[in-house]
Amino acid sequence: MISQRSSLATLLLLGSFLAPVSSSNIPAQAQVIDQKAFNVLATTQPPAEFNAKSLFVPPGSTGDSLAQQPFHVYDEEFLKIIGDAPTLTRIAHSPKDPIFHEAVVWSKETDEVFFVQNAGAKDAGTGLQKSAIIEKISLADAAAVSDKSDAAGLVNVTTVPSSPTILNPNGATNYRGQIVFAGEGQGDNEPPALWVMNPKSPFNATVILNNYFGRQFNSLNDIAIHPSSKDIYFTDTIYGYAQDFRPAPGLQEQVYRFNPDTGAVTVVADGFDHPNGFTFSPDGKHAYVADTGIDSGFFGLNFTRPASVYRFDVKEDGTLDNRKTFAFVHSGAPDGIHCDSLGNVYAGCGDGVHVWNPSGKLIGKIYVGSSTANFNFAGQGRMVICAETNLYYATLAAAGSYVDSEM
């Protein structure tokens, strides 16, 4: 039997954890979002008027107030992630062309971040007409303007002329001192492929995989390296077809595992609508797959389909098991997905970067007010965020989960 004194002590301890976050602990560019404030709303709109494409503005907030303090604290755990003085700076802008889209990857040796244009977007003029381009920035240039909220035009964005051209690159990650890209392919006869590119000039590129036992993949999307086995895992979905630059799919949408040393290619997970982003926990024990099933590109939206992150256990033999729903995104759909060094999970969503703790609880956002396809850490305390026509540089306390898969 628990004594009255110990029971009281337990209640006091729980009370300390349940107490609201003190405003005195909140950094200048952060704000607390009180979820109780919108548990019950006076009015709600029908799905045709308010849905996953709508920006949610909590009671007492405005679009401007959400953007002015872009680090949104949903739980005090997020304060450890952002630190005492987080910053968010817009460092580049494109009036219409979605140049800042996917494949955000840090080259540690050159201290640059690479990213790619949106392949197949009408405003990009890519797809069948031309391949999406790869670009990069210097992190030193970004850091030099991090004291500003808007430094668009002050950071040089350089086009990377891969040789040969990587056709419609999408996802990317570090790989044996180089960068491996998931290419979506182009038309009927240029298949999706995994490409390895040197991050230094002349940016020579080599295809390391372009088929599954002779069959073309559909449209490779994202890619990650297992931190222990160093095997390459990647997602294959239909967005090339859904954006009019690839033929109708010939395989179901799946997650694959590739051992580049033996050449073995295996399917490790299926049953998705549109498997998209992929990442591992820092210890490699869990894999996370983002499913953007609500969005079928030019074929339209279906808000009853997944906008979900699924978590799998990674077994010792590299197979994926015990699928569970980790998170369902309320704004847009989770696209690019990454973990920090402590196992917190981040995903690019419809209003910015959402952050969950390892149990799947939303603890915070880096809010940009628009769709964020991808982002990535650049070591300790630095992050680059791609939001289609805007590029952002953030500073915070967290560090990325970096896997270089050296030989």
Side-chain angles (χ1 to χ4, degrees):
M1 184 174 179
I2 301 176
S3 70
Q4 185 176 3
R5 177 177 295 179
S6 61
S7 177
L8 178 60
T10 301
L11 288 172
L12 290 172
L13 180 62
L14 285 172
S16 69
F17 284 116
L18 296 174
V21 181
S22 170
S23 60
S24 63
N25 297 330
I26 305 302
Q29 289 204 29
Q31 60 180 298
V32 175
I33 304 296
D34 180 9
Q35 296 183 76
K36 286 187 176 181
F38 54 85
N39 286 162
V40 179
L41 297 173
T43 60
T44 59
Q45 298 169 287
E49 297 177 26
F50 192 90
N51 50 55
K53 287 297 182 182
S54 308
L55 288 178
F56 177 63
V57 179
S61 300
T62 66
D64 286 343
S65 71
L66 292 176
Q68 286 169 2
Q69 294 170 295
F71 295 88
H72 295 178
V73 181
Y74 281 74
D75 188 279
E76 64 181 355
E77 291 180 49
F78 194 52
L79 294 174
K80 297 178 183 179
I81 287 173
I82 61 177
D84 295 333
T87 63
L88 181 68
T89 304
R90 186 175 77 154
I91 57 174
H93 173 69
S94 170
K96 192 175 181 182
D97 184 353
I99 293 175
F100 316 113
H101 177 60
E102 269 275 15
V104 187
V105 60
W106 174 46
S107 171
K108 186 175 182 180
E109 185 177 359
T110 65
D111 204 28
E112 296 170 319
V113 166
F114 292 73
F115 48 87
V116 302
Q117 186 181 26
N118 192 335
K122 292 180 179 178
D123 288 335
T126 51
L128 279 174
Q129 305 304 315
K130 66 180 181 67
S131 172
I133 59 174
I134 303 170
E135 296 187 297
K136 66 173 183 173
I137 60 164
S138 161
L139 284 168
D141 290 349
V145 296
S146 62
D147 60 332
K148 307 177 186 295
S149 62
D150 193 349
L154 300 181
V155 174
N156 188 37
V157 178
T158 304
T159 299
V160 176
S162 60
S163 179
T165 298
I166 297 175
L167 293 175
N168 291 317
N170 198 73
T173 193
N174 301 100
Y175 177 70
R176 297 180 176 178
Q178 301 188 77
I179 299 173
V180 57
F181 286 92
E184 295 190 81
Q186 190 173 57
D188 290 347
N189 301 317
E190 298 290 349
L194 296 181
W195 298 74
V196 174
M197 187 192 81
N198 191 321
K200 297 180 180 179
S201 182
F203 307 108
N204 49 298
T206 304
V207 173
I208 60 171
L209 180 68
N210 71 355
N211 74 95
Y212 182 72
F213 295 91
R215 298 170 67 178
Q216 288 188 3
F217 294 108
N218 297 321
S219 184
L220 301 190
N221 193 279
D222 203 8
I223 188 168
I225 310 295
H226 189 271
S228 299
S229 71
K230 312 304 183 188
D231 284 351
I232 300 172
Y233 290 70
F234 59 93
T235 57
D236 184 38
T237 187
I238 65 160
Y239 283 121
Y241 173 62
Q243 292 184 295
D244 289 341
F245 65 90
R246 282 284 296 146
L251 293 165
Q252 68 172 325
E253 301 178 64
Q254 304 178 127
V255 179
Y256 294 82
R257 173 191 180 198
F258 174 47
N259 184 317
D261 296 322
T262 66
V265 183
T266 55
V267 175
V268 292
D270 62 11
F272 304 97
D273 276 31
H274 303 319
N276 198 314
F278 188 97
T279 197
F280 289 104
S281 59
D283 60 10
K285 293 182 178 180
H286 299 293
Y288 297 90
V289 182
D291 191 333
T292 50
I294 68 167
D295 190 345
S296 292
F298 296 162
F299 294 103
L301 302 169
N302 183 341
F303 298 119
T304 68
R305 305 312 302 165
S308 307
V309 178
Y310 299 103
R311 190 183 78 181
F312 294 81
D313 294 335
V314 183
K315 300 176 71 174
E316 288 188 9
D317 62 3
T319 56
L320 304 186
D321 194 15
N322 193 26
R323 166 175 161 155
K324 66 165 287 185
T325 301
F326 177 78
F328 179 81
V329 171
H330 69 85
S331 178
D335 197 328
I337 185 168
H338 302 283
C339 287
D340 65 21
S341 60
L342 299 178
N344 298 299
V345 182
Y346 302 59
C349 300
D351 57 3
V353 177
H354 293 195
V355 185
W356 299 269
N357 71 5
S359 73
K361 177 174 67 176
L362 179 69
I363 59 174
K365 294 183 185 179
I366 304 174
Y367 184 86
V368 301
S370 63
S371 180
T372 303
N374 213 329
F375 65 96
N376 211 342
F377 285 95
Q380 175 74 47
R382 304 182 299 182
M383 179 183 286
V384 173
I385 301 170
C386 280
E388 304 301 333
T389 56
N390 289 302
L391 184 69
Y392 295 89
Y393 175 73
T395 64
L396 65 172
S401 178
Y402 179 80
V403 179
D404 195 26
S405 68
E406 291 286 358
M407 294 285 288

